[in-house]
Amino acid sequence: MTTAPVDVESARRDYAALVDRGLSLDITRGKPSPRQLDLADGLLALPGDVRKAEDGTDVRNYGGLKGLPELRRIFAGPLQVPAEQLLAAGNSSLELMHDSIVQAFLSKLPGAERRWADEPSVKFLCPVPGYDRHFALAERFGIELIQVPLTETGPDMDVVERLVAEDAAVKGIWCVPKYSNPTGVTYSDDTVRRLATMTTAAPDFRIFWDNAYAVHHLTEDEARLADLLALATEAGNADRVFVFGSTSKVTYAGGGVGFFGASEANLAWWTGLIGKRTIGPDKVNQLRHALFLRDEDGVREHMRKHAELIGPKFAAVDEILTKELGESGLASWTKPTGGYFISLTVPSGTAKEVVRLAKEAGIALTPAGATHPYGDDPDDAVIRIAPTYPELAEVEEAIRGLAVCVRLAAATKK
Ligand code: PMP
């Protein structure tokens, strides 16, 4: 990035004026706005008088560990997992990722020589910038986290292929393959193919394929993702894929349904273990979701309404950053066509200071470093912007203020 010098005095004046406004704005977390949640309020009247799933199961009773077939069918296409290999579970995909890791530590995965608990060390590759909760979850179990650059086409596959081939302690990789959190990139066909076919030293290597934004398009130009599970299966590596997804940002965040998809062997492993944890999921909620969303087209139609609400917020971020910082060369940012986030890159060594200045001015941002394992962004340059929750006017105000902070941090950089 070539940067024009910033006039310190004018940057200080602008910042003082910003602080004087006494703002209280929050663009920290990727939450749906209340108006987005309203879109799914039809759920509250469902399942109405219906008590039975299509196969005659009384949804009010125990059982059905794999979840309702009609809901699994709706999400089989979007999540690229055959319905019979896709489980509909509880209210969150993060808990399914958590449980997969816990179970891998406690019980041998298909193909494993031993439990992860009995390994001298367990390492995961973390494409960065990435999702802080993935990193925190793995860190909590003592997994060593290794950064891999995330490019425009997905993780740098030369690095990934080398690391998985040379070190049998590398047991997993975190991937948000479509409209990634936070850059918005979608993995290219070549990246997906290489992930599916690469040689791994660990026989129990797993790709944690968190397709959280599978249907979250912002434009008509929908990103297309290659089918990892199909490609891995074709290459004889079916067991390396764990697919996750949820309706958290389709219907209700926290009141939706999480999904887990994998090979037959992985599913047998999973259901055998998870059957000790629960007698079955909340099928009433699953039925109301199936009735509300109807089919894949129903999901697409519903997601268009989300795009109408949040598309203008993403556009506003881009417009304001272009106007305020475009010519300065002080920052670059992603222009996602889906998902929930924008990634802003500021001059090296200033991201923490930008976040601090913004906080003092009443604008809450995700902590700098959160996009990297251990909170350590070696360049101190990446800031995640989450524009969905606040009203449009608040997003605009927050981004104008953020630009002021970027200029001051750059001007006063030691
Ligand atoms: N994965 C990613 C990439 C996310 O961004 C989020 C939410 N911010 C989640 C998972 C959480 O999903 P859930 O609500 O299904 O646990």
Side-chain angles (χ1 to χ4, degrees), residues 29-31 91-97 131-134 175-176 179-181 210-213 244-249 252-254 257-259 340-341 384:
R29 295 243 56 112
K31 293 201 297 188
N91 74 325
S92 142
S93 60
L94 194 65
E95 70 178 4
L96 299 172
M97 298 175 224
Y131 178 38
D132 54 352
R133 291 185 194 275
H134 284 163
C175 295
V176 184
Y179 304 132
S180 95
N181 176 353
D210 179 3
N211 206 349
Y213 301 105
F244 303 93
S246 78
T247 69
S248 288
K249 286 151 186 181
Y252 290 157
V257 180
F259 297 92
Y340 258 56
F341 303 99
R384 184 181 84 163

Side-chain angles (χ1 to χ4, degrees), residues 57-365:
T57 302
D58 186 331
V59 294
R60 299 168 302 175
N61 220 327
Y62 273 142
L65 204 54
K66 292 179 86 173
L68 294 190
E70 52 266 60
L71 187 63
R72 291 156 51 204
R73 222 166 37 233
I74 296 173
F75 281 91
L79 292 174
Q80 299 169 295
V81 179
E84 59 281 8
Q85 287 172 241
L86 184 68
L87 308 192
N91 74 325
S92 142
S93 60
L94 194 65
E95 70 178 4
L96 299 172
M97 298 175 224
H98 175 278
D99 287 0
S100 320
I101 289 179
V102 172
Q103 303 294 2
F105 269 92
L106 297 179
S107 305
K108 253 172 50 164
L109 278 164
E113 281 154 5
R114 56 185 89 84
R115 311 178 312 160
W116 288 3
D118 298 325
E119 294 283 353
S121 77
V122 174
K123 303 177 188 173
F124 266 43
L125 305 186
C126 302
V128 291
Y131 178 38
D132 54 352
R133 291 185 194 275
H134 284 163
F135 306 151
L137 158 53
E139 201 185 331
R140 180 248 177 281
F141 293 105
I143 295 174
E144 187 185 323
L145 305 176
I146 302 170
Q147 300 193 9
V148 173
L150 183 73
T151 73
E152 301 265 298
T153 54
D156 182 329
M157 286 308 297
D158 292 342
V159 177
V160 171
E161 283 169 346
R162 181 172 52 74
L163 292 171
V164 299
E166 74 188 14
D167 187 354
V170 175
K171 297 290 190 191
I173 181 170
W174 288 116
C175 295
V176 184
K178 203 189 239 188
Y179 304 132
S180 95
N181 176 353
T183 66
V185 307
T186 297
Y187 292 13
S188 70
D189 290 356
D190 187 54
T191 298
V192 179
R193 186 190 51 75
R194 288 171 76 176
L195 285 165
T197 56
M198 66 192 180
T199 302
T200 64
D204 50 350
F205 178 83
R206 291 294 183 278
I207 299 171
F208 285 68
W209 198 245
D210 179 3
N211 206 349
Y213 301 105
V215 291
H216 303 60
H217 316 288
L218 288 171
T219 71
E220 296 288 307
D221 185 18
E222 301 181 357
R224 236 198 82 265
L225 180 68
D227 184 335
L228 177 73
L229 184 57
L231 287 168
T233 305
E234 214 175 282
N237 297 324
D239 292 346
R240 78 166 49 160
V241 182
F242 279 175
V243 177
F244 303 93
S246 78
T247 69
S248 288
K249 286 151 186 181
V250 176
T251 55
Y252 290 157
V257 180
F259 297 92
F260 175 66
S263 69
E264 296 293 352
N266 281 333
L267 285 189
W269 172 84
W270 173 264
T271 47
L273 299 166
I274 230 65
K276 308 288 184 295
R277 179 184 179 276
T278 176
I279 307 171
D282 178 352
K283 295 185 297 301
V284 178
N285 195 34
Q286 295 192 359
L287 178 59
R288 73 165 68 98
H289 273 77
L291 294 170
F292 179 69
L293 295 168
R294 291 188 329 268
D295 53 24
E296 217 179 306
D297 283 342
V299 174
R300 179 170 280 114
E301 212 177 285
H302 186 73
M303 293 315 290
R304 279 209 194 100
K305 298 180 197 156
H306 280 278
E308 278 169 25
L309 292 175
I310 64 176
K313 297 179 183 179
F314 279 78
V317 173
D318 184 40
E319 270 163 38
I320 294 168
L321 289 177
T322 305
K323 180 160 170 274
E324 301 291 332
L325 297 171
E327 279 172 18
S328 72
L330 286 177
S332 61
W333 55 94
T334 56
K335 303 175 199 324
T337 56
Y340 258 56
F341 303 99
I342 292 164
S343 179
L344 174 71
T345 305
V346 294
S348 291
T350 67
K352 280 200 178 71
E353 177 63 0
V354 170
V355 173
R356 188 191 70 76
L357 289 168
K359 186 171 179 215
E360 299 281 301
I363 303 167
L365 293 167

